[in-house]
Amino acid sequence: MSNIVSKVKKNPFAGFTFSKLLTEGRAFIALAVIIVVFAYLSPNYLNLSNVIVMTRHVGLNALLAIGMLLVILTAGIDLSVGSTVGLSGVLAGFMLMQGIQVPGTHTVLYPSVWVIVVLCLFAGALVGLLNGILITRFKVAPFITTLGTLYVVRGTALLIAKGETFNDMTGKPELGNTGFNVLGLGKFLGLPTGVWVMIGVALLTAVLLTKTVFGRWLYALGGNERAAELSGVPIKRVKIWVYTLSGVCAAATGLIIASELTAGAPQTGQSYELNAIAAVVIGGAALSGGRGHIRGTLLGAFVIGFLGDGLVIVGVSSFWQMVIQGAVIILAVALDEAQQSSKKKQKLAKAASDK
Amino acid sequence: MSQPDVVLRAKKVRKEYGLTVALNDVDFDLVRGKVTTLFGENGAGKSTLMKILAGIERPTSGSLELDGQDISFSNSTHAKSHGISIIHQELSLAPNLTVRDNMFLGSEIRSMGGRVNYTAENDKVREIMKRLQHNIRPDELVGDLRLGQQQIVEIARALASDARILIMDEPTSALSNVEIEILFTVIEDLKSHGVSIIYISHHLEEALHVADYIYVLRDSNMIATDEAKNVDLPGIVRMMIGREGVGATALDQKTDQIVLEIRNLTIADPSNPARLAIDNFSLKVHAGEVVCLYGQMGAGRTELLETIAGRLHQISGEILLNGVDISGLTIGNRIKTGVALVPEDRQRDGLVQLLTVGHNISLSSVSDFVKKFIMRTNPEIVSIEKKIQDVRVKTSSHKSLITSLSGGNQQKVVIGKVLLTGPKAIILDEPTRGIDVGAKAEIFQLLTEQAKHGLAVLFATSEISEAMTAANRIVVLSKGHISAEMDPKKVSQPDVMAAADDKTSKRRIGAGA
């Protein structure tokens, strides 16, 4: 390869510096610190059953965060996911408890659980599709669009439930719609179903991001939308898909929560979007788009979840919990900025040497 | 010869970034009231030296001397307080602010009580704009101005700070020929007021024309300095690149097969829909032919090329590729059909800065490497590395970040990306903007080679030397119309330029060079 000339002298120890470890793996380090501190403060913290409980909590946020990551990679934001969580639970409750009345008749259909799951996911997809269309076709900024749908979807959930909660969503054997609680309370190999869903979705999304054309398009679009467009990337289609997937992730989260509680409350999921954004950001993604990965986002979700539950176990007041969680988010992003500027310096040096 | 009056002197200035030497013990003298031009290819160290002189960077070793006194700038504001001002290559204006606010940003004229004295500022803007022979109003938003006008504002800002040393890094890259003439008058005027100017430009003829003294940097070393009257252009090019020759020569390899045909195309001006950017334009480009679209800024070149690529849409007319109308297709499908654009603004439209060199090259053709939904990386890397060789990108690896490459190599990556899609016609908008002489020649050689393999090439330029040497045919565009079609072998440079000039026969600097 005679034309590919390396003019950069490489320091053999570059890449193993402490500062790099600190910044590159900051979510990992934060998680390690959290685990050590809380294990020291509370002997029950690292108890297997507690770890599983905490992981279940993490799974819910992680699922939202994975969808949010896709959106943030395109330099967008999805504020409507918390509301979609509520809508999905309420829809499941409605279909399970009251059934679907066939128009013009007195017949009421009670769909089986898997149909309910599919329909709820579909509803989440529709919310995402609406976001995507508003953003790409009507050119409403993602923040505004999803802020609007945040209210619309929450209101819809309240309307469907008439402000009430659907309780005791176990289904009736004579209607053939039992088993809804498996999603939240079922276990496989000792892990709750929700955790398995998180693992599955994370793996699928990791493949999507790293091994498919869609993933490449996503990073290109987030890095430079104009250049991606001129290179033939169908940016509108990609964006619509991203919001749709985020909606599906949110609906899935709503189903799992409703199943865990065997109740669908229209208020469920309020401010969940913020936790999801925090996980993505702690995980190293840039809100300006084009940078971020699943690994980081999962770690970010674990940081938030293990920190929050740890504070509860240790008995820190909920007011202090909020202060501490906020501080952790800021610290993570501040570290990110430090990392970016040190990278820029390296780049400058490289540019000067590359000629 | 009497000793010249040196206002700013750099002595054995050295700059290292890590292990890399960007400037190797460089000496530089700036004479009062004169223009000193700094020549050098991209990456030779010009920008680094300018940043040190303007206080933006600090030298690793060596010293600066201002009016015979040793001085060390702590930052650019400090340098500015000593009357050193820099006009950056990349515009650094706030588009959401007015011309006035941009010009006085950080050095507002205050009246009693600390309020900004807008009246005084407005007067000053008008006075400077009058000097620059432009009627840009103080309260116009910078974002509403054309790129060329923005550059004028950038220059005006430096004038507003009463600089006595002015560093101009590519001040003319977005100016029309008329505007360049005006700038040169202003430079003469500044010189007579004792202002010393350091001038950097890729337009070598222009840079030599304006210079009193010249310096040449090559590979971080200052290799020559002289009075401008003692040197000529070929000599400078030799010193810059260490070899002879500029540009590539177009070969006569045109065939009869029409690849790209444009019929009666009319396009609205995207920034002003009431105006037509292109009016009833028709053109045929044959396989193996290199056609140059020559015209000044605002002639409609970019609008025409972006419409062919699919970013803009025409009001009427047809775009045919091998006889099939592609007007209704998306950008992606046009690329698949075989026509792709190398855009004018590499940073904004050409590259994804967060991706690697390799992923930038394969961006337009990623779908070709998919099997059962999954991308196959091995064939992708093989194709990428082949392209890196084909277009001669200098990079340590396809995994390097695109931002680590020089401008010329970045441009080769964009061209490589387009070529990897297997195009039948390739269109390029100012393909050599902001890249050095050596890379320019390489890029045109590349296009000639591709044409030999049957590609139809259409490129737009405002540099007459490129039009004269690299094309088989020159189509001159003026205000959205074709004002002439010429064979570069049969016409002279002034003829072509006259055809492009809507006011006809404006003298351009260095026309004979």
Side-chain angles (χ1 to χ4, degrees), chain B residues 62 84 125 167 190 194 197 225 287 336 369 384 400 404 440-441 477 488:
Chain B
I84 301 178
V125 174
I167 302 171
L190 288 171
I197 291 163
T225 175
K336 281 204 191 93
F369 306 108
I384 288 170
S400 302
S404 67
K440 270 184 193 179
L477 198 63

Side-chain angles (χ1 to χ4, degrees), chain A residues 4 211 216 224 226 231 353, chain B residues 20 349 351 375 380 395:
Chain A
I4 302 175
K211 304 262 182 237
R216 194 68 68 75
N224 186 345
R226 289 179 64 102
S231 303
S353 71
Chain B
T20 328
D349 296 329
L351 299 168
M375 285 200 61
E380 186 193 359
T395 176

